[in-house]
Amino acid sequence: MYATLDSTAFDGRLPLPQVLDQSPGSNPHRRNHVNDFVLLPREVERFNQLLARLGRTQPLEADQLATAARSLGSNASSNTAPSACIRQRLQQARLVEQMLQDDDWEPVAEAVSCARCVLGYLHENRQLIPDSVPGVGQLDQAIVIDTAWPQLAGEVANFLDYQRLRRIEAERQGRDYTEIAFSRSLWLELREIEARLHEHQRRVRENSYAPEPMRYFRVH
């Protein structure tokens, strides 16, 4: 539970298919299949209601979702692994879940509400695209995470820093990560101490403690 997760969750956002950002109706096609799976209108509407709660202002059409899946190579029968952009967002979801599961961390209320909404969808059985669809079965999950991420990224970054400082403090005490009491308030305190130390070190690098060298002078 407390292992550090891959930092690629924050490394260079891999874009989802561009068609998802286009205005509905801009594509003349009317696809509604993701591989052999049919996107039902009522399920697309339900999905859009969730995205709206997470802050998306423009609803998605079945054609956009089907086109996005096709652009990720969903029709290649041998392609069963999710695309890199989907894997990255699932990694972000794992960070969000780990954040909520840590009893010692106290996330801000706004992040908790958003995170629970995201994880609620990811863990429910009724999802827009079944996970069993090769290659893009988790595209809908990636879209949900991507929509919510602007509201979650800052708090997840704080949580990762909390984990970092907790590990440092545990090592200083010669104890295991889980054996020390470590709250959000203590993290804030240690973060401030660390920031002051870094500032002190910066000043030392830029300004020597040694006295200024004596200048030559003449005796008349």
Side-chain angles (χ1 to χ4, degrees):
M1 174 178 172
Y2 294 98
T4 301
L5 292 172
D6 192 345
S7 64
T8 55
F10 280 94
D11 292 344
R13 295 278 288 168
L14 300 173
L16 292 175
Q18 197 172 32
V19 66
L20 297 172
D21 295 324
Q22 297 175 358
S23 299
S26 61
N27 193 321
H29 303 288
R30 289 293 177 267
R31 303 185 182 97
N32 64 355
H33 282 70
V34 174
N35 284 9
D36 294 329
F37 180 77
V38 179
L39 296 170
L40 300 177
R42 66 176 180 275
E43 295 302 323
V44 174
E45 174 61 25
R46 178 174 177 268
F47 185 66
N48 278 319
Q49 291 173 359
L50 170 63
L51 298 184
R53 291 198 299 274
L54 293 174
R56 185 180 176 96
T57 58
Q58 191 70 57
L60 289 168
E61 290 186 348
D63 181 77
Q64 290 174 281
L65 295 161
T67 303
R70 177 172 295 188
S71 72
L72 293 174
S74 62
N75 291 321
S77 59
S78 61
N79 182 19
T80 58
S83 299
C85 60
I86 295 178
R87 292 198 304 272
Q88 184 186 57
R89 283 153 181 83
L90 296 178
Q91 172 75 358
Q92 292 169 344
R94 285 191 288 274
L95 286 172
V96 171
E97 187 161 32
Q98 189 183 44
M99 179 180 71
L100 289 189
Q101 289 177 345
D102 193 315
D103 294 333
D104 296 326
W105 176 249
E106 302 165 16
V108 296
E110 296 81 359
V112 171
S113 176
C114 181
R116 286 176 176 168
C117 188
V118 169
L119 295 176
Y121 179 80
L122 267 57
H123 288 301
E124 71 177 16
N125 293 324
R126 184 183 176 185
Q127 294 182 356
L128 181 63
I129 304 173
D131 290 351
S132 58
V133 177
V136 292
Q138 294 164 311
L139 174 59
D140 56 327
Q141 298 179 34
I143 293 171
V144 169
I145 299 159
D146 197 62
T147 303
W149 192 244
Q151 305 172 61
L152 297 173
E155 190 64 5
V156 171
N158 287 340
F159 175 65
L160 290 175
D161 191 61
Y162 160 88
Q163 289 185 309
R164 179 185 66 85
L165 287 176
R166 183 170 182 169
R167 282 192 298 273
I168 292 173
E169 180 63 16
E171 291 172 3
R172 188 188 69 80
Q173 297 182 24
R175 302 168 68 186
D176 185 73
Y177 180 99
T178 59
E179 292 177 347
I180 66 171
F182 204 79
S183 63
R184 186 186 183 105
S185 59
L186 182 54
W187 163 70
L188 288 170
E189 180 181 339
L190 292 182
R191 187 175 70 163
E192 178 63 25
I193 292 172
E194 185 182 60
R196 291 200 300 268
L197 176 61
H198 289 167
E199 176 60 21
H200 171 73
Q201 292 171 336
R202 183 190 65 79
R203 290 198 303 268
V204 170
R205 288 194 301 269
E206 296 177 357
N207 303 284
S208 172
Y209 281 125
E212 187 176 340
M214 184 178 296
R215 297 181 180 180
Y216 289 106
F217 60 95
R218 297 176 184 272
V219 177
H220 296 281

